Amino acid sequence: MKVTLNGDIKEIPEETTVAELLGQIGTTPERVAVELNLDVVPRGNYASTAIREGDSIEVVTFVGGG
């Protein structure tokens, strides 16, 4: 199915969860925030939140500095 990930169209398998998507793109769930269709997904819900055809996902990585 096709979704928009950080502004780019991406093909992902049906029934993919947010947690699975993060694994597919090589991102550590503890170091990102995820927005699904303009709603922030709580980290505890990544494994149970399904992504659907046409969804828009933004993955934001935390960067420390000093």
Side-chain angles (χ1 to χ4, degrees):
M1 70 181 164
K2 291 184 182 178
V3 298
T4 303
L5 176 62
N6 291 345
D8 296 322
I9 302 296
K10 181 168 176 67
E11 186 78 31
I12 63 172
E14 295 285 331
E15 300 183 20
T16 298
T17 65
V18 169
E20 292 167 338
L21 176 66
L22 293 176
Q24 290 170 17
I25 64 173
T27 301
T28 305
E30 295 80 17
R31 302 190 54 86
V32 298
V34 178
E35 184 181 88
L36 177 63
N37 299 322
L38 303 177
D39 291 320
V40 175
V41 179
R43 187 169 289 115
N45 293 354
Y46 287 0
S48 63
T49 301
I51 298 171
R52 301 196 183 344
E53 176 82 29
D55 279 351
S56 178
I57 304 112
E58 293 292 325
V59 178
V60 180
T61 304
F62 300 119
V63 178

